[in-house]
């Protein structure tokens, strides 16, 4: 099968290349803001929708005037791709509104507030230890590029604190896997742990993450105590950004390990619907990070199951995974969030709440194996969408669509 995969490398740019990177990111941000303002005006004054193509034509006319000569200093892809992103942001907004979700309108990007990033297309090559980018040239990577393969579609460069990374979107041919004949596992989102599997294993947030979070709070306070605009504030802000980067890396690493293990060792994985899982909102920092992680967990499982030959199933939205007794099947009328242990009045089962829910999900998957499709198979193909489940409940939109909503386009990580 042909898949899209992302290869991400940390770069070791020279001083001149750092300047070029910063210029490209600056132009990309400028183009986004310019496009947004032109588009808004066109809509307010003439009721006209200007898409990326129309904006790009206008931009090309501006480029000829002396005032905008500086646009020639960077690759033409940087503004072009920023305008395409703007199109996607608007499309997401409209799609979200249609589905009744609260997706914000695209906003202006403030320097220093939004990540420095830009995307390049065209001739992009990877040589041992080097990524060759249009206009910028040969940039050394800090990691070996030995595993790289496939045709590069685009390269997104992004600054995180004081480092630059490139993510290459690559088209790769991957052999179709043999289906895994393994056990069914239900995975429920835990409240104190990240997730609990029906076989009793837990996916904890890494301990290192907790430590880093304490550090993060301290660093954030340190920034706010420094005088705005001062050298010390800039230094504290960099330390804070580094801390954020470290946490992100730890989280991503832990998630990848967990999803790979799950997808490689189970035939069927059943998870809760993303919207149900996200309904429990909490303002705690660790929880907010775990919210992000849950969507990413779904996304990784969806593509890794196709890679390794297992299946990902999503329980119907109103499936009472927490309120059902995994022993006798009795469904409780209510179960407050604070109740950590599930006690069944009918059969006397006493079980950890999350483990009970995970077992219910697994039970659903077992039934699915026997009875045929009543659940949505995430990786059966591209159709996804809202269908009617066997038990009469409307299926939620697939993770794939969800992913498209969040990221603009589907991307998979190496
Ligand atoms: Zn029971």
């Amino acid at each position: 099968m042909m898949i899209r995969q992302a290869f991400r490398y940390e770069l070791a740019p020279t001083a001149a290349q750092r300047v070029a990177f910063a210029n490209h990111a600056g132009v990309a941000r400028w183009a986004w803001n310019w496009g947004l303002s032109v588009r808004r005006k066109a809509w307010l004054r003439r009721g006209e929708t200007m898409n990326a193509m129309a904006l790009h034509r206008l931009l090309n006319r501006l480029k000829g005037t002396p005032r905008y000569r500086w646009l020639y200093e960077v690759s033409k892809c940087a503004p072009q791709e920023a305008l395409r992103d703007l199109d996607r942001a608007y499309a997401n907004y409209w799609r979200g509104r249609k589905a009744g979700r609260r997706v914000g309108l695209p906003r202006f990007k403030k320097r220093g507030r939004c990540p420095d990033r830009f995307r390049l297309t065209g001739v992009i090559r990877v040589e041992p230890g080097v990524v060759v980018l249009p206009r910028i040239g040969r940039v050394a990577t800090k990691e070996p590029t030995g595993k790289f393969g496939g045709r590069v579609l685009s390269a997104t460069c992004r600054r995180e604190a004081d480092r630059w990374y490139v993510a290459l979107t690559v088209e790769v041919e991957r052999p179709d896997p043999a289906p895994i004949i393994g056990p069914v596992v239900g995975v429920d989102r835990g409240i104190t742990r990240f997730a609990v599997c029906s076989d009793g294993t837990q996916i904890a947030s890494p301990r290192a993450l907790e430590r880093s979070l304490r550090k993060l709070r301290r660093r954030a306070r340190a920034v706010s105590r420094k005088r705005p605009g001062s050298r010390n504030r800039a230094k504290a802000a960099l330390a804070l950004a580094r801390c954020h980067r470290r946490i992100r890396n730890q989280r991503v690493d832990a998630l990848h390990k967990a999803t790979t293990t799950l997808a490689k060792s189970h035939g069927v994985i059943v998870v809760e619907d993303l919207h149900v899982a996200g309904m429990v909102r909490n303002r705690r920092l660790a929880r907010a990070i775990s919210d992000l992680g849950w969507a990413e967990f779904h996304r990784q499982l969806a593509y890794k199951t196709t890679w390794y030959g297992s299946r990902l199933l999503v329980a119907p939205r109103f499936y009472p995974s927490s309120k059902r007794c995994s022993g006798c099947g009795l469904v409780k009328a209510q179960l407050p969030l604070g109740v950590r242990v599930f006690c069944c009045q009918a059969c006397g089962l006493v079980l950890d709440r999350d483990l009970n829910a995970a077992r219910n999900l697994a039970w659903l998957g077992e039934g699915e194996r026997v009875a045929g499709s009543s659940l949505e198979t995430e990786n059966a193909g591209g159709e996804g969408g809202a269908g009617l489940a066997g038990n009469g409940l409307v299926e939620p939109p697939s993770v794939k669509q969800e992913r498209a909503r969040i990221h603009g386009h589907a991307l998979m990580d190496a």
Side-chain angles (χ1 to χ4, degrees), residues 19-29 73-75 78 118 120 135-136:
V19 173
F21 276 137
N23 286 345
H24 276 78
V27 168
R29 186 174 46 238
E73 282 168 24
V74 303
S75 161
F118 59 93
L120 300 173
R135 201 64 195 259
I136 296 169

Side-chain angles (χ1 to χ4, degrees), residues 325 328 344 347:
C325 169
C328 67
C344 180
C347 70

Side-chain angles (χ1 to χ4, degrees), residues 191-213:
I191 288 180
T192 50
R193 297 140 294 194
F194 178 74
V196 178
C197 304
S198 55
D199 56 9
T201 52
Q202 299 182 1
I203 305 169
S205 326
R207 174 106 13 113
L209 193 62
E210 292 290 320
R211 268 206 306 276
S212 303
L213 283 175

Side-chain angles (χ1 to χ4, degrees), residues 355-369:
L355 183 56
N356 180 60
R359 286 199 183 162
N360 280 324
L361 290 169
W363 177 81
L364 205 58
E366 292 284 358
E368 150 76 12
R369 243 196 341 201

